[in-house]
């Protein structure tokens, strides 16, 4: 091997070695965290700082950190990016509340998937339907995963805003027996005749048909197949 070639290889080796030493130096150790997309979060509850701060930014396991952050049920999605030289940026998407669920003496604020965003002993003034459970017990978990409740939440999620805004209370019994209470006291009675995917269209269609008389609606019965039965006050 000629001296010139050896010299080039040596220079290349030293450059690579220098780059590796630099990339693993304190210059790239995580020193700051940034959060984008949510207000009022508590960083200490989202980030295992003992596994982040002071660690090399190239060696950070972003998948692990995202899974750790998603333990907070108020967060729907999280993406973590490196901001060189020493900052990790969390991009957060919050869960959107769909309804209140009352079980026992407690109220759960839930999204369309049944994830508990908040638990309180007194309902707060949010313009959302209140789902009251009859004969159903829910375990206090991050996700209120119960078949009848999931059916009800899927139904509410697929109602258009103008309809959902008229729903004040929802009484949820067993075997998909659901009563939707509207402004003015009218009721919509639901059972097992239709799926939660079919019901929104039926409900919205008849509410449009009865638009001028909605304030006089006593009940709309969708518990049986065939043309629904309704009664005006």
């Amino acid at each position: 091997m000629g001296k010139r070639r050896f010299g080039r290889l040596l220079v290349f080796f030293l450059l690579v070695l220098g780059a590796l030493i630099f990339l693993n130096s304190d210059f790239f150790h995580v020193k700051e965290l940034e959060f984008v997309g949510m207000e009022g979060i508590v960083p200490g509850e989202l980030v295992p700082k003992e596994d982040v701060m002071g660690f090399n930014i190239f060696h950070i396991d972003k998948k692990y950190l995202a899974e750790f952050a998603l333990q907070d049920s108020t967060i729907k999605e999280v993406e973590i990016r490196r901001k060189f030289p020493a900052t990790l940026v969390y991009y957060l998407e919050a869960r959107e509340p769909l309804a209140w669920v009352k079980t026992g003496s407690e109220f759960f604020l839930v999204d369309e998937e049944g994830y508990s965003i908040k638990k309180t002993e007194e309902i707060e003034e949010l313009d959302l339907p209140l789902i009251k459970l009859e004969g159903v017990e829910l375990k206090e978990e991050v996700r209120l995963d119960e078949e009848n409740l999931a059916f009800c939440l899927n139904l509410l999620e697929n109602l258009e805003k103008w309809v959902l805004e008229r729903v004040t209370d929802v009484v949820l019994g067993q075997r998909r027996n659901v009563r939707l209470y509207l402004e003015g006291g009218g009721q919509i009675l639901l059972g097992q005749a239709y799926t939660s995917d079919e019901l929104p269209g039926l409900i919205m269609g008849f509410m449009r048909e009865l638009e001028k008389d909605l304030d006089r609606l006593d009940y709309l019965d969708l518990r049986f197949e065939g043309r629904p039965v309704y009664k005006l006050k």
Side-chain angles (χ1 to χ4, degrees):
M1 180 184 296
K3 290 184 179 180
R4 180 175 296 178
R5 185 178 180 187
F6 175 78
R8 289 175 179 172
L9 288 174
L10 180 60
V11 170
F12 177 76
F13 172 77
L14 291 175
L15 288 173
V16 171
L17 179 62
L20 289 174
I21 292 173
F22 176 61
L23 292 176
N24 285 279
S25 68
D26 291 349
F27 186 71
F28 291 102
H29 286 187
V30 177
K31 301 178 181 65
E32 294 185 15
L33 301 170
E34 293 182 7
F35 299 89
V36 179
M38 288 179 65
E39 296 181 0
I41 61 170
V42 181
E45 297 177 359
L46 300 183
V47 184
K49 291 189 176 181
E50 66 278 5
D51 298 327
V52 176
M53 305 306 292
F55 282 76
N56 189 282
I57 198 169
F58 294 104
H59 300 162
I60 291 293
D61 186 344
K62 296 192 295 180
K63 182 179 178 181
Y64 162 70
L65 294 183
E67 291 174 349
F68 188 93
L70 287 171
Q71 293 180 88
D72 186 326
S73 61
T74 65
I75 299 174
K76 185 174 184 178
E77 293 185 8
V78 57
E79 181 183 357
I80 300 172
R81 299 179 187 174
R82 298 180 178 92
K83 182 178 177 181
F84 297 107
T87 302
L88 285 180
V89 183
Y90 280 66
Y91 293 89
L92 305 169
E93 180 182 344
R95 293 189 177 278
E96 293 295 329
L98 175 64
W100 287 99
V101 175
K102 184 179 186 298
T103 174
S105 61
E106 296 177 325
F107 298 90
F108 292 86
L109 185 63
V110 300
D111 74 345
E112 75 278 4
E113 297 179 88
Y115 281 92
S116 175
I117 299 172
K118 190 174 186 179
K119 182 183 76 171
T120 68
E121 293 184 356
E122 294 184 2
I123 193 169
E124 299 176 1
E125 291 298 326
L126 293 178
D127 190 18
L128 297 172
L130 170 63
I131 300 176
K132 302 174 183 177
L133 305 179
E134 290 186 342
V136 179
E137 292 186 5
L138 296 176
K139 296 180 180 179
E140 185 179 328
E141 298 176 343
V142 172
R143 186 178 186 185
L144 305 182
D145 191 8
E146 197 275 333
E147 183 179 359
N148 285 337
L149 178 59
F151 168 83
C152 186
L153 291 174
N154 186 57
L155 167 65
L156 295 178
E157 171 65 12
N158 287 288
L159 291 175
E160 292 179 2
K161 185 178 179 181
W162 68 274
V163 176
L164 192 60
E165 287 177 346
R166 297 190 70 105
V167 178
T168 59
D169 294 280
V170 181
V171 177
L172 174 61
Q174 297 179 339
R175 299 176 62 82
R176 296 187 178 179
N177 288 315
V178 179
R179 279 173 283 160
L180 302 180
Y181 285 86
L182 307 178
E183 292 177 344
Q187 298 182 48
I188 300 177
L189 309 177
L190 310 175
Q192 300 183 68
Y194 302 97
T195 68
S196 60
D197 293 327
E198 295 172 321
L199 283 169
L202 287 171
I203 292 171
M204 291 185 290
F206 273 89
M207 287 186 70
R208 289 191 184 97
E209 184 177 322
L210 299 172
E211 183 176 2
K212 295 180 180 179
D213 295 312
L214 278 178
D215 292 335
R216 297 196 300 121
L217 179 67
D218 188 5
Y219 66 81
L220 170 64
D221 195 339
L222 294 170
R223 291 176 295 176
F224 310 100
E225 293 184 6
R227 181 169 175 81
V229 175
Y230 69 91
K231 178 184 176 183
L232 301 178
K233 298 174 183 178

